[in-house]
Amino acid sequence: MHYSKLKISGDAASKLRFLRQRTGLTPNLLCRFALMASLEQGPLGDAPTPDEEGLEFNAYTLTGEYGALFAGMLRFVEEGEAPGRELDDGALLTLLRGHIHRGVGTLSVRAKSPLELLRMVPEELAT
């Protein structure tokens, strides 16, 4: 999955501002948490495509050195184990925006403090 910039939805950008105030984390780190929370919920299915009227991130700022890892997890969740079902970069970018949108919505309800975010990380990974 190749991209240089990614714009998230206006709704997600608004919720990220509140999450930043609550947690003290930057929007790019919150987007990483949001992506993981959404991927854990499974494929997006028929969820509507979010708008592109929010924050714009550079690829490296958004995923850091883990871009390939996030792309692999996205492919695993969305393509599943069905042989021959390979999504192109455009579809993957749309799904990435969708997962960030859904995940930010989840975080906005669950993460009232940095401690709440830490509780979302499995214990074996937190140590």
Side-chain angles (χ1 to χ4, degrees):
M1 176 172 66
H2 302 286
Y3 65 102
S4 58
K5 296 182 186 254
L6 181 81
K7 286 189 88 165
I8 63 171
S9 69
D11 183 50
S14 176
K15 288 177 180 174
L16 281 173
R17 284 186 205 97
F18 290 114
L19 283 166
R20 183 177 188 162
Q21 290 174 347
R22 284 189 214 160
T23 65
L25 294 176
T26 58
N28 62 312
L29 294 177
L30 289 166
C31 282
R32 293 178 195 184
F33 267 100
L35 177 58
M36 296 307 298
S38 180
L39 289 174
E40 187 175 41
Q41 294 174 38
L44 288 174
D46 294 331
T49 303
D51 64 61
E52 294 183 58
E53 298 179 12
L55 298 172
E56 181 175 72
F57 292 94
N58 290 322
Y60 191 80
T61 302
L62 184 62
T63 59
E65 62 214 43
Y66 305 109
L69 178 64
F70 286 119
M73 288 186 291
L74 180 62
R75 278 190 184 281
F76 178 78
V77 169
E78 289 295 336
E79 291 175 356
E81 297 179 21
R85 181 171 186 251
E86 190 170 321
L87 298 167
D88 64 21
D89 281 355
L92 284 171
L93 288 176
T94 299
L95 290 166
L96 177 63
R97 283 191 4 259
H99 276 286
I100 290 172
H101 179 83
R102 180 171 76 175
V104 167
T106 299
L107 289 183
S108 70
V109 173
R110 294 176 59 186
K112 306 297 183 200
S113 70
L115 184 58
E116 297 291 330
L117 280 176
L118 185 59
R119 288 186 179 137
M120 293 175 70
V121 177
E123 189 174 317
E124 58 272 3
L125 295 177
T127 56

